[in-house]
Amino acid sequence: MIVSYLFCALILFIGVLLETSILSNIMFLPAIPDIVLICTMYFSIYNGRTQGETMGFMSGLVLDFLGGAPFGFNSLIRTVLGYFTGYLKKMINLKSVFVTMLFGCIATLAKALMVYLVSLFYPNFVNSYNVFSLVFLVELILNSLLTPVIFKLLDCFSNFIIIDKNQRI
């Protein structure tokens, strides 16, 4: 179990570095795909709510340190999304590409809704998404298209990631 948590934390740290250092500097992309969110969803679907919220909190904390968001903002959003994604353990068939694409789309929409709700309380500190903008549309498409790819990539490391191999979907 500890090996799973450490390996997942390493993957999320690499994802955070990839998002904040490489993808954020590519000028022709109007939006950055949320690789860390997709990885957190994978961990919480296969290992449940506890690991989902733990990995969501840890990745959000690192994103808060490296990014420009207010401290705790990403941690809150990713913890909640990781927890509620963990409810889908054993309920979703991740073999279908369409289902995983739909799952990435729904998670991105849920993230945008949560950002909007937090921005209602802190309008001076948080910039919410404009769901009718090109930036949000590009992020939605990128996350939807990358979700099956990242899930298949993480399947290669399932021996180190998944805690209970008998509950594999």
Side-chain angles (χ1 to χ4, degrees), residues 11 18 25 30 36 40-41 44 63 77 80 88 102 116 120-121 127 137 142 148 156:
I11 290 173
L18 183 68
N25 291 321
V36 177
T40 304
M41 291 184 323
S44 62
L63 275 172
I77 289 174
V80 171
L88 300 174
L102 183 65
Y116 175 73
L120 291 177
F121 294 108
N127 293 328
L137 180 65
L142 286 173
C156 297

Side-chain angles (χ1 to χ4, degrees), residues 17-39:
L17 289 178
L18 183 68
E19 274 185 36
T20 57
S21 4
I22 297 172
L23 294 177
S24 64
N25 291 321
I26 297 176
M27 295 300 170
F28 65 87
L29 280 178
I32 301 169
D34 202 343
I35 296 170
V36 177
L37 176 68
I38 297 169
C39 291

Side-chain angles (χ1 to χ4, degrees), residues 5-166:
Y5 275 91
L6 291 175
F7 199 78
C8 291
L10 176 68
I11 290 173
L12 288 174
F13 184 70
I14 292 169
V16 166
L17 289 178
L18 183 68
E19 274 185 36
T20 57
S21 4
I22 297 172
L23 294 177
S24 64
N25 291 321
I26 297 176
M27 295 300 170
F28 65 87
L29 280 178
I32 301 169
D34 202 343
I35 296 170
V36 177
L37 176 68
I38 297 169
C39 291
T40 304
M41 291 184 323
Y42 181 88
F43 302 147
S44 62
I45 286 173
Y46 280 117
N47 293 327
R49 296 183 306 256
T50 304
Q51 188 167 10
E53 67 186 1
T54 303
M55 293 297 124
F57 179 76
M58 287 174 38
S59 66
L61 202 59
V62 175
L63 275 172
D64 286 337
F65 279 125
L66 295 178
F71 186 70
F73 174 71
N74 285 309
S75 298
L76 171 70
I77 289 174
R78 291 166 196 286
T79 302
V80 171
L81 285 174
Y83 180 77
F84 284 114
T85 305
Y87 275 112
L88 300 174
K89 184 178 182 181
K90 294 192 226 175
M91 293 173 50
I92 238 172
N93 179 12
L94 294 176
K95 302 295 182 206
S96 169
V97 172
F98 178 73
V99 171
T100 54
M101 286 177 71
L102 183 65
F103 194 58
C105 179
I106 291 171
T108 306
L109 290 170
K111 179 182 122 180
L113 176 67
M114 289 182 57
V115 168
Y116 175 73
L117 290 175
V118 171
S119 73
L120 291 177
F121 294 108
Y122 302 104
N124 296 332
F125 297 109
V126 177
N127 293 328
S128 65
Y129 285 102
N130 180 2
V131 293
F132 301 110
S133 70
L134 177 67
V135 174
F136 180 72
L137 180 65
V138 169
E139 182 178 355
L140 185 69
I141 291 170
L142 286 173
N143 285 351
S144 298
L145 293 176
L146 282 177
T147 302
V149 174
I150 292 174
F151 276 26
K152 290 294 181 193
L153 180 68
L154 291 175
D155 276 344
C156 297
F157 303 105
S158 64
N159 291 337
F160 301 107
I161 294 173
I162 299 174
I163 295 172
D164 188 8
K165 307 295 187 275
N166 296 329

